[in-house]
Amino acid sequence: LLQLLVIMVSHKEFEGAGKQPGLQVWRIENMDLKPVPKGLHGNFYTGDAYLLLFTTQAPSHYIHMWIGDECTQDESGAAAIFATQLDDFLGGGPVQFRETQNNESLTFVGYFKSGIKYQKGGVASGFQHVVTNDMNVKRLLHIKGRRAIRATEVAMSWASFNQGDCFIVDLGKDIYQWCGSECNRFERLKASQVAIDIRDNERNGRAKLQMVEEGAEPPALTEALGPKTSIAPATPDDDKVDTSNRKKGALYMISDASGSMKSSVVAQSSPFKQAMLSPEECYILDNGVDRNIFVWKGPKANMTERKAAMAAAQQFIKEKGYSDKTQIQVLPAGGETTLFKQFFSDWKDKDQTTGPSKAYTIGRIAKVEQVPFDASTLHSNKAMAAQHGMVDDGKGKVQIWRVENGEKVPVDPSSYGQFYGGDCYLILYSYRLGGREQHIIYTWQGLKCTQDELAASAFLTVKLDDSMGGAPVQVRVTQGQEPPHLMSLFQGKPMMIHSGGTSRKGGQTKAGATRLFHIRQSSSRATRAVEVEPSASNLNTNDVFVLKSPDALFVWRGVGASDEELEAAKHVAGFLGGSANNVAEGKEPAGFWSVLGGKKDYQTSKSLQNMVKPPRLFGCSNKTGRLIVEEVPGDFTQSDLATDDVMLLDTWDQIFIWVGNEANAEERTGAPKIAKEYVDSDPSGRRGLPISTIKQGAEPPTFTGWFQAWDANMWDTDPLDRIRARF
């Protein structure tokens, strides 16, 4: 029968497949595809296999085959064949996923924001997916998860309950949400979404919902479940695998030269370079320790290899002895997922544009609308403010202190904009937004400052924050990683960063005899001049450099440099003193190279500004007894910010720590450590990003702009009361 399926390439179900944006779901029934009605999407029988197709506006396609724990070999085999045929039918461009019960990818879980429901049984036992008005249902669902919600059907008995979770007793026309005495607010909120979903989609709105607290069960429950026995205490979650995929990957090339698939090592450990992927080949990225395997299909690889990609991955998992729950993603060139791209240090998408007004594409596969920077619309355009990291145009009030002997000492305003690598500084920026005064505290930490100063800078920041009622946004900045907004505070002057030394009176260490400053403009048009090692290998065709030696001063302009960068170079030259010789790239006098110690290769390709990576949101919670980090699936919204947790928003060139009002002390103190580890262990090799800490209710537009339709009054009413009102 399977042989027969392979021959039958097109299926009548494929005719309407992928024509409209949205989700289509089929179940494998007797080796054939049967559509699942829309109202029942998110319900899966654990004895069955399913095929899902998600189509974006673009359109691009995602194919998922889902395999239940009790599904037969034949059915999972048929699902794999249908997935390959559907991929073929759609021209080989879709991304393919293999999903197993309880181990689904974030992409998959993201389709079902109100939860995934696992039901016992399947086709073989006569269970059908039909929306009926039949009210004699009797089932008990155990709700798990704070971000990815799963409702699993368990035995209808008090023995299935525990005090730490929520359960749904579904009796057809009455649906009871039972809350254990130790279950927390956010979990109640999520369980309510499942209950509302059952009522609205499976019962066509005809059932009644009721919230029940442990110990106050109505008679209807004891009728359904028998006399109440003692309820088990809360069980700690099995050590959930930390899903942030921070571990290393290895890269293999697949070839079928000998007629059978072989894999050979390309690189033992990440981060990889994009150039390692040749368009003529197929590759496996092995992140099996985190239960992830990716197959990348080169656009010019031979058809046999491309079609056998999924099979090759399954064979690879067997050979490596990985769990059969390992997730597989098969990716065509151009359709790479964020999870895959994060293993490469230099990933560029082919539609990335160049230049300071970098264009951006956000959305399902991070097609961010393109928003070039325009300072005049900062207040009305939150998405632009967020993409460019600008809360305003930098024209507010600036105060700067240097950290000295554990205290903060005011810096002379005439030297604002000069930063020395041997110092730490506190910069307080105040501006008005919507009639209220807002504050940002930037803590700038030089790479050559002492451990004591580092510790003092952190302590003084907290002290300053407290003295202002805890409302300011705190941003920790490492030398050389200054965010665009900080660079814009010195109105028209570049921010100058000296590699060492200090701005203290009498503490000035003598600067080197030869100094080279690299001037670059950010996407929001602010410039900064960073001192680098005076060597020709540091030049870059896209920028301007100022070179100072004991007897000469040069301003070197790269072919791709902007006028604003040249303007900024005049300030730097003025600061260093002397009359400048202008040098154009390609027309350098011999004296220029000799100051740099000779000619060397340097970056001569036009810069591709990094495209905005899709933002990712994580929750840091110790509700299970240890601090764990989990990613929020799908398109996240403001209501995914759990007020009893600390959340981490990664927008690629900066990290936000959002502190919920009810987060506990361990989460508050643990989150900054987690944020730092998260960046330092990033498989793509990112390091030292600015980390901003913001409090619930005092979010700046650089944060809120990443959320669609942010509502400043959302937390004025209790989210639990709001959802109860829908009962």
Side-chain angles (χ1 to χ4, degrees):
L1 191 56
L2 288 178
Q3 240 66 64
L4 189 86
L5 275 176
V6 182
I7 302 159
M8 234 176 65
V9 173
S10 182
H11 190 283
K12 61 179 190 316
E13 280 297 329
F14 294 170
E15 284 156 27
K19 296 276 189 284
Q20 260 94 39
L23 186 64
Q24 289 165 281
V25 183
W26 296 273
R27 177 165 73 156
I28 310 296
E29 298 186 11
N30 308 321
M31 300 306 182
D32 201 2
L33 288 178
K34 272 285 172 19
V36 173
K38 206 166 174 45
L40 298 177
H41 285 182
N43 283 318
F44 296 91
Y45 283 110
T46 57
D48 292 330
Y50 292 77
L51 183 67
L52 290 81
L53 172 67
F54 183 80
T55 306
T56 68
Q57 294 289 354
S60 46
H61 304 286
Y62 291 92
I63 296 172
H64 302 260
M65 55 178 202
W66 182 92
I67 290 148
D69 280 350
E70 283 95 47
C71 160
T72 67
Q73 199 77 53
D74 282 357
E75 284 179 326
S76 66
I81 288 161
F82 282 129
T84 308
Q85 289 178 359
L86 181 55
D87 181 65
D88 239 16
F89 180 80
L90 294 168
V95 175
Q96 290 184 61
F97 296 77
R98 174 177 175 269
E99 313 278 4
T100 58
Q101 183 179 333
N102 279 315
N103 291 277
E104 295 85 358
S105 66
L106 274 161
T107 310
F108 184 92
V109 177
Y111 303 145
F112 310 105
K113 286 297 264 190
S114 51
I116 294 177
K117 301 189 269 304
Y118 301 132
Q119 294 174 252
K120 291 181 168 163
V123 182
S125 39
F127 289 109
Q128 296 306 320
H129 279 292
V130 278
V131 181
T132 61
N133 294 329
D134 173 18
M135 291 293 192
N136 15 352
V137 180
K138 247 182 106 170
R139 60 176 179 166
L140 176 61
L141 298 173
H142 180 186
I143 315 296
K144 288 295 263 192
R146 293 171 69 73
R147 326 276 164 217
I149 309 149
R150 295 184 167 88
T152 308
E153 188 176 348
V154 289
M156 190 88 182
S157 118
W158 289 112
S160 299
F161 287 75
N162 76 66
Q163 296 174 343
D165 290 325
C166 291
F167 290 77
I168 290 176
V169 185
D170 180 1
L171 302 177
K173 49 182 194 307
D174 291 292
I175 300 170
Y176 298 90
Q177 176 183 336
W178 182 94
C179 306
S181 51
E182 290 174 45
C183 112
N184 69 49
R185 296 167 52 82
F186 196 64
E187 281 159 3
R188 290 167 177 245
L189 207 60
K190 294 297 181 186
S192 300
Q193 288 173 357
V194 179
I196 289 171
D197 183 65
I198 295 174
R199 175 192 66 191
D200 295 352
N201 291 317
E202 295 184 35
R203 303 292 139 72
N204 289 322
R206 287 194 181 81
K208 268 207 347 252
L209 292 185
Q210 288 169 55
M211 183 88 74
V212 173
E213 295 298 326
E214 176 185 344
E217 291 83 2
L221 284 194
T222 40
E223 270 167 43
L225 291 155
K228 187 176 159 192
T229 54
S230 71
I231 302 285
T235 52
D237 284 4
D238 1 324
D239 276 3
K240 205 179 136 349
V241 213
D242 181 358
T243 48
S244 45
N245 307 301
R246 312 318 286 165
K247 304 208 185 61
K248 294 286 189 208
L251 190 63
Y252 295 84
M253 190 172 90
I254 319 173
S255 60
D256 68 342
S258 53
S260 71
M261 288 285 168
K262 295 268 182 292
S263 57
S264 51
V265 179
V266 177
Q268 279 295 351
S269 121
S270 57
F272 311 124
K273 293 269 183 270
Q274 195 172 358
M276 292 175 178
L277 302 174
S278 141
E280 284 77 29
E281 306 293 344
C282 292
Y283 295 83
I284 286 180
L285 194 164
D286 172 7
N287 178 224
V289 281
D290 285 324
R291 294 194 172 178
N292 283 311
I293 297 288
F294 305 88
V295 187
W296 185 85
K297 303 189 288 191
K300 300 179 182 153
N302 75 45
M303 267 335 264
T304 336
E305 282 179 26
R306 291 172 58 91
K307 285 191 172 164
M310 180 64 81
Q314 286 180 282
Q315 183 189 325
F316 184 87
I317 288 172
K318 276 209 187 71
E319 284 169 9
K320 290 274 182 211
Y322 290 145
S323 149
D324 55 4
K325 292 275 189 194
T326 303
Q327 251 178 55
I328 301 173
Q329 299 187 6
V330 177
L331 313 162
E336 298 86 359
T337 54
T338 312
L339 272 189
F340 176 81
K341 292 193 281 206
Q342 69 166 2
F343 287 95
F344 293 80
S345 57
D346 62 345
W347 192 274
K348 298 276 191 303
D349 288 313
K350 62 174 183 300
D351 53 357
Q352 287 180 11
T353 59
T354 58
S357 54
K358 48 181 169 179
Y360 276 143
T361 54
I362 284 190
R364 252 283 16 131
I365 324 190
K367 287 288 177 238
V368 185
E369 266 106 273
Q370 313 207 339
V371 192
F373 185 73
D374 168 10
S376 61
T377 61
L378 263 172
H379 289 299
S380 52
N381 189 336
K382 290 258 189 352
M384 178 191 72
Q387 283 175 20
H388 297 277
M390 299 289 286
V391 292
D392 72 345
D393 55 11
K395 292 196 166 85
K397 182 177 168 211
V398 180
Q399 290 166 272
I400 305 181
W401 296 270
R402 188 176 49 250
V403 176
E404 262 181 57
N405 309 324
E407 292 302 327
K408 59 185 210 300
V409 178
V411 169
D412 180 350
S414 66
S415 63
Y416 278 11
Q418 302 292 332
F419 290 82
Y420 293 85
D423 285 334
C424 283
Y425 300 90
L426 263 59
I427 301 132
L428 174 64
Y429 180 71
S430 310
Y431 64 103
R432 297 195 77 74
L433 178 67
R436 293 224 314 269
E437 189 164 49
Q438 309 277 352
H439 307 279
I440 301 175
I441 302 170
Y442 289 105
T443 312
W444 187 93
Q445 301 175 331
L447 293 173
K448 295 186 178 160
C449 70
T450 66
Q451 213 42 55
D452 290 350
E453 284 172 330
L454 273 180
S457 72
F459 165 72
L460 290 167
T461 302
V462 172
K463 215 164 113 175
L464 180 60
D465 184 63
D466 287 347
S467 75
M468 307 186 71
V473 171
Q474 298 173 32
V475 185
R476 201 195 73 197
V477 179
T478 313
Q479 176 179 345
Q481 302 263 3
E482 294 76 16
H485 184 258
L486 175 56
M487 288 155 58
S488 74
L489 301 189
F490 309 103
Q491 299 303 316
K493 294 206 306 265
M495 179 174 185
M496 258 185 96
I497 295 159
H498 304 260
S499 67
T502 161
S503 56
R504 291 173 212 190
K505 289 281 172 282
Q508 283 292 23
T509 43
K510 253 188 88 58
T514 304
R515 308 181 70 184
L516 180 63
F517 281 86
H518 179 179
I519 297 164
R520 173 175 284 177
Q521 192 180 32
S522 77
S523 66
S524 57
R525 314 251 197 301
T527 47
R528 102 184 131 184
V530 182
E531 186 173 0
V532 292
E533 193 63 39
S535 155
S537 59
N538 279 323
L539 296 174
N540 185 320
T541 190
N542 301 289
D543 302 315
V544 173
F545 289 77
V546 177
L547 174 64
K548 162 102 165 119
S549 75
D551 31 73
L553 180 64
F554 297 99
V555 172
W556 182 89
R557 179 179 186 162
V559 176
S562 69
D563 294 340
E564 288 99 331
E565 287 168 341
L566 199 61
E567 216 25 66
K570 291 180 187 160
H571 282 282
V572 176
F575 178 87
L576 295 171
S579 68
N581 300 312
N582 285 323
V583 174
E585 180 175 8
K587 302 203 172 73
E588 298 85 356
F592 175 80
W593 296 117
S594 63
V595 173
L596 285 172
K599 223 171 160 171
K600 295 193 180 75
D601 283 344
Y602 62 88
Q603 167 75 25
T604 52
S605 58
K606 280 274 185 282
S607 96
L608 279 176
Q609 293 267 345
N610 259 343
M611 170 176 163
V612 78
K613 300 279 203 292
R616 300 171 70 185
L617 182 66
F618 298 85
C620 310
S621 164
N622 66 350
K623 304 296 181 275
T624 56
R626 60 191 196 97
L627 202 53
I628 57 170
V629 185
E630 298 177 280
E631 186 163 356
V632 172
D635 289 338
F636 57 77
T637 64
Q638 186 180 354
S639 47
D640 287 313
L641 295 171
T643 53
D644 57 351
D645 280 340
V646 170
M647 309 291 292
L648 200 140
L649 176 69
D650 174 4
T651 66
W652 189 253
D653 37 22
Q654 75 159 318
I655 304 278
F656 294 93
I657 298 171
W658 179 89
V659 183
N661 288 341
E662 294 128 46
N664 61 38
E666 189 191 338
E667 289 162 348
R668 285 169 193 253
T669 51
K673 280 209 288 286
I674 286 183
K676 194 173 162 352
E677 277 163 23
Y678 170 81
V679 179
D680 291 346
S681 64
D682 189 322
S684 72
R686 290 185 290 170
R687 299 288 177 272
L689 298 186
I691 297 176
S692 307
T693 304
I694 55 187
K695 326 269 190 320
Q696 178 183 339
E699 296 87 356
T702 41
F703 178 81
T704 59
W706 294 103
F707 294 80
Q708 206 98 49
W710 180 272
D711 170 10
N713 306 320
M714 180 188 233
W715 293 297
D716 295 353
T717 52
D718 182 349
L720 263 178
D721 291 344
R722 271 205 311 278
I723 202 151
R724 278 213 181 104
R726 295 174 55 195
F727 265 37

